[in-house]
Amino acid sequence: MLSAFGLNCTLKRGDEPSSTQKLLDQLLHALEGYGVKTSSERAVNHDILPGVKTDEGPGDAWPALRKRIDQAQILVLATPIWMGQPSSVVKRVLERLDAVLGEIGDDGRYPTFGKVAVVGVVGNEDGAHHVTAELYQALADVGFTIPAGSSAYWVGEAMSSKNYVDLKQTPEAVASAIQTLACNAAHLAGLLHERPYPAPAPARE
């Protein structure tokens, strides 16, 4: 069975209501509909130390989270928009994933080859495409495969007090994007699980 691990990169600690959590839960629920086993964590509840190594020493909570990423075939990364940018929490996650580049095998394959990554974005201002582009570029850099289609995102009216978590009903366009993303991610993860990327051929002189 395929598995997906979701990381909520909200700034809200504990179990405080979170628009990002709502979107992440919807993405994971949609993946479950395609036979994917899911789990998630709120990154800010863990002491992820700054750095670019897999383990930054005593007190670092990242190694346990990284292990769960390694064990899953799909990574679901969800972030709010702050000042038009991805959250500082998701940037910390991406910085720690940079360690993958030091783990490339002698055959040229990354430990993340064969894994799929999808992104969810919420906010009360413009910037969903910009945030998606930043995250997908970084995730591709460290070896994740991106499925076809848009990220799943919702952007409310600028400076509005209404958040995604407050919506009584999910907008049709968002629900459709969630379903398409989940379908394509599960399909792609299944294909890569059955037929992993081959080792690249030696460079031609």
Side-chain angles (χ1 to χ4, degrees):
M1 174 183 285
L2 296 174
S3 64
F5 178 56
L7 266 179
N8 175 0
C9 295
T10 180
L11 303 184
K12 296 178 178 178
R13 296 179 179 273
D15 57 0
E16 186 178 350
S18 158
S19 291
T20 311
Q21 188 67 52
K22 177 179 178 178
L23 182 57
L24 175 60
D25 289 344
Q26 289 176 319
L27 281 164
L28 294 175
H29 180 70
L31 283 166
E32 289 169 1
Y34 293 96
V36 179
K37 182 180 178 181
T38 69
S39 63
S40 69
E41 290 288 342
R42 191 174 292 205
V44 76
N45 288 341
H46 302 267
D47 190 10
I48 302 172
L49 298 182
V52 293
K53 294 189 292 188
T54 302
D55 189 339
E56 288 291 346
D60 187 14
W62 177 250
L65 295 173
R66 170 65 193 274
K67 183 177 181 180
R68 294 179 69 178
I69 293 172
D70 290 344
Q71 291 172 337
Q73 289 76 48
I74 302 170
L75 172 63
V76 184
L77 207 53
T79 180
I81 300 170
W82 287 107
M83 294 184 284
Q85 303 291 321
S87 76
S88 58
V89 178
V90 79
K91 289 185 177 183
R92 173 68 55 86
V93 167
L94 294 175
E95 287 166 354
R96 296 305 301 273
L97 282 171
D98 185 76
V100 167
L101 299 178
E103 302 168 9
I104 299 172
D106 293 338
D107 60 1
R109 284 186 284 199
Y110 296 34
T112 45
F113 277 7
K115 296 185 183 297
V116 171
V118 297
V119 164
V121 182
V122 291
N124 289 109
E125 54 186 277
D126 196 8
H129 283 179
H130 167 74
V131 169
T132 296
E134 282 201 19
L135 268 57
Y136 273 159
Q137 184 273 329
L139 290 164
D141 261 7
V142 295
F144 288 91
T145 300
I146 312 303
S150 170
S151 63
Y153 69 87
W154 179 85
V155 176
E157 183 180 357
M159 301 183 185
S160 170
S161 60
K162 178 170 284 190
N163 296 314
Y164 186 63
V165 72
D166 300 322
L167 300 183
K168 302 249 187 299
Q169 186 172 352
T170 301
E172 183 177 345
V174 179
S176 177
I178 289 169
Q179 198 63 28
T180 297
L181 191 55
C183 178
N184 289 351
H187 177 71
L188 183 56
L191 292 176
L192 290 173
H193 185 66
E194 292 295 326
R195 298 190 63 184
Y197 287 115
R204 301 175 69 180
E205 296 183 1

